[in-house]
Amino acid sequence: MPIAKRKPRRHQPELDAAANFEHLPIGLLWNYRLVLECNVLSRFFDQDGELDREDAQSVGIPDQAMEFDRAQMQRYLKQQIKVLERQVEQGVPLSLRSNAQQLAQLVGLNDTEQQVLIFVALVKTEQIVNNLCEMIRVKHLSSLCKLVAKALNLPLADIKMALSDKSALLTTGILELEIHSFGNTIADCFDFLSQKFSELLLSDNAEPTAFFKEIIQQAPASTLKLEHFAHVQQDLDILLPYLQHSVATSKAGVNVLLYGQPGTGKTELSRLLAQQLNVTLHEVSCQCDDGDAIAGNARMRAYRLAQRCLANTQSLLLFDEVEDVFIQNPFARQSEQRKGWLNRMLEQNPVPTLWLTNNHQIIDPAFIRRFDLVIEMPVPPQAQRAEFLHQAAGGILTPNAAMQLAAHPRLTPAVIDRASKVVQSIQLDTDKYDKATLLQRVMQQTLSAQGHQLPFAKGQELGDVYDPGLINTEANLSVIVEGLKMQGSGRLCLYGPPGTGKTAFAHYLAKQLAKPLIIKRASDLLSPYLGETEMAVAAAFNQAAKQQAILLIDEVDSFLQDRSKARQSWEVSMVNELLTQLERFDGLFIASTNLMHNLDQAALRRFDLKACFSYLKPAQAQQLLQAHCQQLGLNVCDTSLQRVASSSVLTPGDFNAIRRQARFQPFASAQQFVTALLTDVALKTQHQTESKGIGFLQ
């Protein structure tokens, strides 16, 4: 039997213990250890024993070892490990070692955790280490710990502790582990706090705060003052002393939730609180230096790190846009564990934290009950909005013009501030452009984009001619107004035909009492969905109470129908809800209706005053004609006065309608005005006659 020829042995170059390595010695040391531990050589050599030079070079194996067979390569790597271990102290970049020590002192890392931090930093930045760690896959934390322990030549028990949930590396959020059951690479197992964190660890002369400046920043000073938040003064009287005590005593678990629609001043108030307390406010960023959004999980890690770094300092933390943190996915893995962790976090944080959201309703009630204080930031009242608008506009608006624009119920301080800056920064031809008009347009465009389609009021809710003495009612309106000025609360029911001045009187009353007027109609409150009408009614009363406004519900017969005639259960519950809110309301409420006979009898007993607004008396109609004609520059003749006095169904609203008609169809005489008025009234009376029905249709 012939004997197979023996393959010639490859020439083995001499090993140079003093070789000048092209790569970081510490990186080569870790790689060689892992290559032997994980049998990576089996990947480098094929079945014929040929070496994949590209793979070998990518993990730091030098050209002088490329002629080795597998056994020779193993001996070479073992020998090189011994060489590298003698110079490992010189292998770690000085900047990385120094920064790791600074960070360790700042957040309390032990020696093993520092070594793991350095290892992960070089996995992310040192090419040969990253290449090898992309080749090796793990499925379990135990496997990862074993490999890290082998690479660092540290006890396995110490590495397990450094990579446990209780280690400072993980509890501070500096490092997060991602290990999937289907397996992922060593490089993918580690996730630093931010994309630039590894680079910062390797930078020279880095300040400790530079490691997380991308995600935690010191807040600028507030541009507002406490008087801008007079509408939440009662809450501030509690919040300020509580935060002062918490900072002074280093109380743990202090959390305050501020909620409200965008632009109501939540962030500015947070900054102002820090100034008042003479402490530093740090904000958890929503975006990185490149402008990319930071995910909720990454922001929570930043928050945990800030809590560790700022503990025992005179500081507050601000976490804005908390929706992406506290929204729970019940179908997500480990949902309950995360919920429990968040609850514990809200009970143990050493640095008082202000949490901000635009919509608190999407936060789990289990989280909300763990906040010490939950404060709503509503849109400021009209008078306060007007003052802020007048100041921000810088002389563009008069106080009266500011008050008129501030009547918009959705106008927030942020919208005012931005619009004012835009208009003040541009140079305009004053003969062609009115800055006040442009300011209104800029604000309207923003409000419309936010979904608030209601236009700015034109300041003509009462019309050009208004006199409460021209309202036909037995009630003494002047006495009522003076009484409400002194009392400040009341429940009025104004009823009568359309156009008799019920809504106009509500505007007049609001002006006399210097209070905002909130008007709700059936279209604002009625909903086809069960329970939503009741919620809308409650919200309307709540809004009026917070803004210290007069609440007017127009067409109240839609809500207070006689319950004895109800056919559906929701009709009864709707009436019950309105009556309940009415009993609790301590402000000024006005209900107006054209159909008094449809109201629930129990509801009628709850009104302090029921005033009927009737058609104009002849003398009132004549006075109103003279007033409107005077505004239009028309001379009133006796015939015109007699014609209006002959009609028994005239209302102030009829006169206002014809006056609006005169804007685009001017009248040459008072006679023409009266003719148009009586023609319009005739159409109204004809419609009323037809609406009575015929025969059994009545």
Side-chain angles (χ1 to χ4, degrees), residues 396-397 405 418-420 422-424 426-430 432-446 456:
I396 295 177
L397 299 174
L405 290 179
R418 289 187 178 276
S420 300
V422 169
V423 175
Q424 290 186 59
I426 55 181
Q427 299 295 325
L428 298 171
D429 182 353
T430 56
K432 185 177 180 181
Y433 297 100
D434 177 19
K435 283 195 172 184
T437 303
L438 293 180
L439 177 63
Q440 176 177 329
R441 177 169 178 78
V442 173
M443 294 190 295
Q444 181 67 72
Q445 295 288 68
T446 302
F456 281 92

Side-chain angles (χ1 to χ4, degrees), residues 339-628:
K339 185 175 181 179
W341 177 82
L342 285 171
N343 286 336
R344 289 193 299 274
M345 179 197 67
L346 290 174
E347 296 170 354
Q348 299 171 1
N349 55 296
V351 182
T353 304
L354 301 169
W355 305 83
L356 275 55
T357 179
N358 298 331
N359 185 5
H360 69 293
Q361 294 180 339
I362 61 177
I363 302 177
D364 192 320
F367 295 139
I368 289 183
R369 71 180 182 85
R370 283 176 166 79
F371 290 100
D372 302 308
L373 293 170
V374 179
I375 298 174
E376 181 183 7
M377 292 293 295
V379 176
Q382 179 180 351
Q384 200 167 324
R385 296 197 301 271
E387 182 180 355
F388 183 70
L389 183 56
H390 183 244
Q391 294 176 357
I396 295 177
L397 299 174
T398 64
N400 288 337
M403 180 63 76
Q404 179 182 326
L405 290 179
H408 198 294
R410 296 294 184 179
L411 189 61
T412 63
V415 174
I416 293 172
D417 184 58
R418 289 187 178 276
S420 300
K421 289 178 179 177
V422 169
V423 175
Q424 290 186 59
S425 66
I426 55 181
Q427 299 295 325
L428 298 171
D429 182 353
T430 56
D431 294 332
K432 185 177 180 181
Y433 297 100
D434 177 19
K435 283 195 172 184
T437 303
L438 293 180
L439 177 63
Q440 176 177 329
R441 177 169 178 78
V442 173
M443 294 190 295
Q444 181 67 72
Q445 295 288 68
T446 302
L447 292 171
S448 297
Q450 290 180 320
H452 309 315
Q453 299 297 333
L454 181 67
F456 281 92
K458 298 181 179 179
Q460 296 180 343
E461 294 82 2
L462 295 177
D464 296 321
V465 176
Y466 183 81
D467 182 354
L470 297 181
I471 293 177
N472 185 12
T473 177
E474 294 182 359
N476 190 327
L477 299 183
S478 299
V479 173
I480 292 173
V481 171
E482 293 301 319
L484 291 174
K485 283 183 180 180
M486 298 178 60
Q487 184 63 28
S489 63
R491 306 167 191 164
L492 312 182
C493 179
L494 310 181
Y495 66 96
T500 50
K502 300 181 291 297
T503 302
F505 177 71
H507 282 286
Y508 173 77
L509 182 61
K511 185 175 181 180
Q512 295 302 307
L513 272 59
K515 287 179 175 290
L517 176 65
I518 297 174
I519 302 177
K520 298 294 182 181
R521 297 178 175 84
S523 59
D524 301 317
L525 302 176
L526 290 177
S527 170
Y529 301 106
L530 187 64
E532 289 195 359
T533 297
E534 290 83 347
M535 293 174 60
V537 169
F541 278 93
N542 187 40
Q543 178 187 359
K546 290 179 178 178
Q547 297 188 16
Q548 298 181 351
I550 299 173
L551 176 60
L552 166 64
I553 294 186
D554 200 4
E555 305 169 4
V556 77
D557 47 276
S558 302
F559 305 94
L560 290 180
Q561 293 181 9
D562 193 339
R563 284 171 289 184
S564 64
K565 300 178 182 179
R567 296 182 179 180
Q568 303 293 336
S569 60
W570 60 265
E571 294 178 292
V572 176
S573 63
M574 179 176 64
V575 176
N576 291 341
E577 179 64 29
L578 199 152
L579 294 180
T580 300
Q581 294 294 333
L582 189 57
E583 287 286 351
R584 296 175 179 174
F585 188 54
D586 193 34
L588 182 52
F589 174 77
I590 302 176
S592 67
T593 178
N594 304 328
L595 304 171
M596 185 67 166
H597 61 279
N598 285 351
L599 298 189
D600 189 271
Q601 294 302 307
L604 291 176
R605 294 195 299 269
R606 285 172 168 80
F607 290 106
D608 304 324
L609 172 69
K610 294 174 280 291
C612 177
F613 283 38
S614 301
Y615 294 115
L616 292 171
K617 297 177 182 179
Q620 292 175 321
Q622 291 175 334
Q623 292 181 50
L624 207 49
L625 174 64
Q626 290 176 327
H628 279 288

Side-chain angles (χ1 to χ4, degrees), residues 195-263:
Q195 295 179 349
K196 296 182 179 180
F197 193 78
S198 302
E199 300 173 10
L200 290 170
L201 284 174
L202 286 161
S203 61
D204 295 326
N205 303 318
E207 294 292 330
T209 55
F211 301 139
F212 29 83
K213 67 176 183 179
E214 186 178 31
I215 50 178
I216 304 172
Q217 300 176 346
Q218 184 170 333
S222 175
T223 59
L224 302 181
K225 299 179 181 180
L226 277 179
E227 48 263 33
H228 289 114
F229 298 96
H231 57 297
V232 290
Q233 187 60 52
Q234 290 183 333
D235 294 316
L236 293 180
D237 289 342
I238 301 173
L239 178 57
L240 269 170
Y242 179 67
L243 290 178
Q244 189 173 28
H245 169 77
S246 300
V247 172
T249 59
S250 300
K251 182 180 178 181
V254 176
N255 295 280
V256 177
L257 178 65
L258 302 178
Y259 71 92
Q261 72 177 65

